[in-house]
Amino acid sequence: MRTSILAAFAASLASASAQALQGFNYGSVFTNGAPITQQDYEREFNTAKQLQGTSGGFTSARLFTIIQAGTPNSPTQAIPAANATQTKLLLGLFLSSTDESFNNELTALRSAIDQYGQELLNLVIGISVGSEDLYRISPTGIENKSNPGEGPDAVVRRINAVRQALAGTILRNKPIGHVDTWTAYVNSSNSAVIQAVDFVGVDAYPYFQTTQANSIENGESLFFDAYNATVAVSGGKPVWITETGWPVSGPNSGQAVANLANAKTYWDRVGCRVFGQVNTFWYTLQDAFPNTPSPSFGVVGSTLSNTPLYDLTCPGASSSSSPSVSMSTSSSVAISSQATGASTTPTERETSATPSVPPQNAPSQAPGSSGSSGSSGSAGSSGSPGSSGSPESSGSSGSSGSSGSAVVQNTVPPSVKTIMTYTTVTTCPVTYTEGSETKTSVTTSAVAVTSTHGTTLATVASSLSGPSPSSTAESCPTNLDGAFEFPHLIVPVDKNQPDKALGTSFNGHFSPTVSSLFNFDLPTSLSGKTCSLVFLFPQRDQLQTSNYTLSGTGGITVDRLKSPADSATSYNNQPEFNVTVKAIPDLQPGNSYVVGSGGCFAGARSSYKISATGSLDLDYFQDFNPSPIGLYIVPC
């Protein structure tokens, strides 16, 4: 069933491929701070269209700002350049600054409408309000001095201001979106931004995901996991790839090596799979004029030329016409965290193409700024969809790997990973369920505060010091009709392969030899609320986008662990057992089980292990689409 669904999705992508756009990111200044003029933009746009190996496919451009560099609020000269070269534009308004600066963006937008009229209508494919603003107020963004950011309320307010400015104009029907790292989007405290936009722009850079295995071999899987994580929370809205790429030069970043060979590999494994399938803006055409930043992502060097630094011909194609995105029925890589925020970009700067310093332990990060002729970008983080960062200030992450998941729009829910930690100590009560009784335990917790793009997370490493008197706890609904949290990382372990790390997965698998570990990252907004850990197990014919195999008889045991799992977890190095939350002796399809209820671990990461009892062997695709299946946390 799942295979046929994925195949159908691949077909839907193929049917839409004629409408998918591809282009590069463009800043407003060169790397020496000199403004990019109309003539410069025309040269760049024409070069992009004439790049050898691409068959003229790069006919669109994403702009970080609509203001012409060197002016307070005049429209960018990229507009007449785009008209002269017939280049489509994704207009960008820089958001994270003062009200006066944002008002200047609105002034430039209104002036462009008045000045260019119908020409502008024919050029514009959408308007992006802000770039990685949510990331830049995260702990990682602040630590990396990523310039001012904005919270979700401020971003939504500015999005609404743009809608009001466009009301009654020729651009009133153009889609409005926001660009950020995938980790910002999967953080449920930022959900209002997704609700406010028409499309979601995600930045993803596996190169910057230094807390994960981010060698070029894993670049593809990291990227698609980040993309899929964003799709999973997009509410069915289109997800555009607004920044990704691999540097041609620069320092090593974790296991990632910046060189031409790896840039070519990433282009082949990521770019060639999405070009023509999803609206994609690569980072970047040129970022090395007149000075070369480190790292440098440009597909052309310091001399603007239609001869790229590496072969842009897609494998198996005589031109850049992309192969159809193939659907993978399983993924060995999961996604980074919802509350974490794996993608990071340095900052969005409209004055330089030089990337900001990547976040120390961010999953991924984009280059750095909206700089030179191709300066822009950010890298995301799908962590395994890991993180992102961009030269400009938006981030996302990607990665490559033969087992990586393909672009799965609106069907595949994410799993997530950990980013960076430091340790403190705290004490908190833990409520758990044994049989029909609910009990409270006093738990001493070593808390590893994990910072990624979204928020600060506390990894709850609990050790039971003894049960206190029984107490009652309200149970939340055993359905996903309201708010819920999905696991941000699923890791299987196999006692028959005790030293082998099986990596992250989209599936839960419990058998006599295999157990699965689940990490949850709960946002601080759940503070003071009750949360229920629930396991949903519908009948197979109730599933629309998932499937499972079931054999044998028996049940499951759910244990809380003292620390979280990660992609390197194996049977022999798995986190220590803390307490059995609940045993379900007879697991049967068509049932919803409350595993335990109590106060939410707001702002924290908690980890659980599910093991099979008896001869039960269940392997299922974790999915919140109707009918939901798997382990979830439901707040109430």
Side-chain angles (χ1 to χ4, degrees):
M1 177 180 180
R2 183 175 168 215
T3 302
S4 63
I5 290 168
L6 293 178
F9 176 67
S12 71
L13 282 182
S15 66
S17 62
Q19 300 173 354
L21 303 170
Q22 62 194 65
F24 292 102
N25 287 269
Y26 297 86
S28 60
V29 297
F30 292 108
T31 53
N32 63 355
I36 300 176
T37 66
Q38 178 178 343
Q39 286 184 328
D40 297 323
Y41 280 120
E42 288 185 20
R43 284 194 290 267
E44 292 175 2
F45 293 164
N46 280 325
T47 298
K49 294 170 69 174
Q50 297 165 10
L51 279 173
Q52 294 178 9
T54 66
S55 213
F58 284 83
T59 58
S60 300
R62 176 192 172 215
L63 305 178
F64 294 119
T65 176
I66 198 171
I67 297 175
Q68 175 61 29
T71 73
N73 52 28
S74 297
T76 174
Q77 293 178 18
I79 295 173
N83 188 51
T85 60
Q86 289 304 290
T87 298
K88 298 296 184 180
L89 294 177
L90 173 55
L91 298 179
L93 280 74
F94 188 75
L95 188 158
S96 293
S97 189
T98 64
D99 287 340
E100 180 182 0
S101 297
F102 182 70
N103 288 337
N104 284 336
E105 294 278 356
L106 289 177
T107 297
L109 177 61
R110 295 186 186 100
S111 297
I113 294 172
D114 293 339
Q115 183 173 349
Y116 298 107
Q118 187 65 36
E119 292 178 359
L120 186 63
L121 175 65
N122 296 336
L123 295 173
V124 173
I125 58 175
I127 298 101
S128 173
V129 183
S131 181
E132 295 194 358
D133 307 277
L134 301 172
Y135 155 68
R136 280 182 276 125
I137 63 165
S138 70
T140 303
I142 294 170
E143 178 179 346
N144 287 284
K145 301 178 180 178
S146 300
N147 291 340
E150 296 282 4
D153 292 344
V155 173
V156 170
R157 185 171 64 252
R158 300 274 172 82
I159 290 171
N160 291 337
V162 172
R163 289 197 187 279
Q164 293 174 3
L166 296 181
T169 74
I170 58 172
L171 298 185
R172 62 187 178 278
N173 294 323
K174 295 295 182 179
I176 296 174
H178 174 71
V179 170
D180 228 299
T181 63
W182 74 268
T183 51
Y185 290 126
V186 299
N187 182 345
S188 60
S189 65
N190 295 325
S191 61
V193 175
I194 296 177
Q195 296 170 12
V197 299
D198 303 313
F199 71 89
V200 175
V202 63
D203 296 343
Y205 291 80
Y207 170 78
F208 292 104
Q209 293 180 233
T210 57
T211 61
Q212 296 168 292
N214 70 330
S215 66
I216 188 59
E217 289 75 20
N218 293 326
E220 178 184 9
S221 56
L222 286 175
F223 172 82
F224 285 113
D225 284 340
Y227 181 83
N228 290 342
T230 306
V231 168
V233 297
S234 68
K237 295 181 179 181
V239 177
W240 298 5
I241 301 166
T242 41
E243 287 182 44
T244 193
W246 194 278
V248 297
S249 64
N252 291 350
S253 176
Q255 298 176 13
V257 177
N259 59 33
L260 291 174
N262 287 347
K264 164 62 175 171
T265 297
Y266 190 75
W267 177 277
D268 289 349
R269 294 181 180 179
V270 174
C272 291
R273 291 178 67 186
V274 300
F275 295 150
Q277 311 291 326
V278 181
N279 287 348
T280 301
F281 299 88
W282 202 258
Y283 190 82
T284 188
L285 176 66
Q286 182 190 48
D287 62 357
F289 178 78
N291 307 313
T292 302
S294 181
S296 174
F297 286 72
V299 300
V300 300
S302 57
T303 300
L304 195 63
S305 167
N306 63 4
T307 302
L309 296 174
Y310 52 91
D311 185 7
L312 302 184
T313 303
C314 288
S318 58
S319 69
S320 78
S321 56
S322 320
S324 297
V325 176
S326 61
M327 295 294 105
S328 169
T329 57
S330 65
S331 171
S332 67
V333 179
I335 297 162
S336 208
S337 125
Q338 173 172 1
T340 44
S343 80
T344 68
T345 65
T347 44
E348 170 176 31
R349 299 173 300 182
E350 66 179 70
T351 55
S352 165
T354 305
S356 335
V357 179
Q360 277 287 309
N361 292 310
S364 77
Q365 166 177 342
S369 106
S370 108
S372 92
S373 76
S375 83
S376 108
S378 93
S381 128
S382 175
S384 69
S387 119
S388 97
S390 103
E392 185 241 3
S393 99
S394 98
S396 104
S397 97
S399 119
S400 108
S402 59
S403 61
S405 59
V407 178
V408 181
Q409 293 207 53
N410 304 333
T411 58
V412 178
S415 306
V416 189
K417 298 180 182 175
T418 308
I419 308 299
M420 59 194 219
T421 63
Y422 62 87
T423 302
T424 59
V425 176
T426 187
T427 301
C428 57
V430 177
T431 302
Y432 64 102
T433 301
E434 288 183 348
S436 60
E437 295 183 54
T438 300
K439 299 181 178 180
T440 301
S441 303
V442 178
T443 304
T444 301
S445 304
V447 178
V449 176
T450 302
S451 160
T452 58
H453 260 38
T455 60
T456 299
L457 305 179
T459 301
V460 178
S462 310
S463 68
L464 185 67
S465 42
S468 64
S470 299
S471 63
T472 58
E474 174 189 0
S475 291
C476 300
T478 54
N479 58 56
L480 305 187
D481 293 344
F484 66 91
E485 297 292 328
F486 51 78
H488 297 151
L489 176 138
I490 304 175
V491 176
V493 294
D494 187 348
K495 68 180 180 182
N496 285 346
Q497 304 177 79
D499 295 316
K500 182 175 182 179
L502 302 179
T504 55
S505 175
F506 287 126
N507 283 34
H509 186 193
F510 328 128
S511 76
T513 62
V514 177
S515 301
S516 290
L517 283 57
F518 299 78
N519 286 357
F520 287 90
D521 300 295
L522 302 188
T524 55
S525 59
L526 296 181
S527 178
K529 295 185 178 181
T530 296
C531 282
S532 287
L533 184 67
V534 300
F535 187 79
L536 309 181
F537 191 25
Q539 298 283 357
R540 189 179 284 107
D541 61 10
Q542 294 176 292
L543 300 173
Q544 294 183 15
T545 58
S546 183
N547 202 355
Y548 62 80
T549 60
L550 175 65
S551 63
T553 59
I556 59 174
T557 299
V558 183
D559 299 326
R560 182 187 297 281
L561 302 178
K562 290 186 176 182
S563 59
D566 59 33
S567 60
T569 296
S570 66
Y571 183 84
N572 275 348
N573 69 11
Q574 62 183 300
E576 291 182 47
F577 164 84
N578 176 25
V579 64
T580 295
V581 183
K582 186 169 186 175
I584 302 172
D586 185 19
L587 189 72
Q588 293 291 335
N591 288 287
S592 299
Y593 300 91
V594 176
V595 177
S597 294
C600 301
F601 284 111
R605 171 170 292 126
S606 54
S607 188
Y608 301 88
K609 175 182 177 180
I610 300 185
S611 304
T613 61
S615 61
L616 181 81
D617 191 332
L618 172 64
D619 189 356
Y620 69 90
F621 176 64
Q622 175 93 16
D623 190 2
F624 54 70
N625 289 301
S627 177
I629 182 171
L631 190 68
Y632 299 90
I633 290 180
V634 178
C636 58

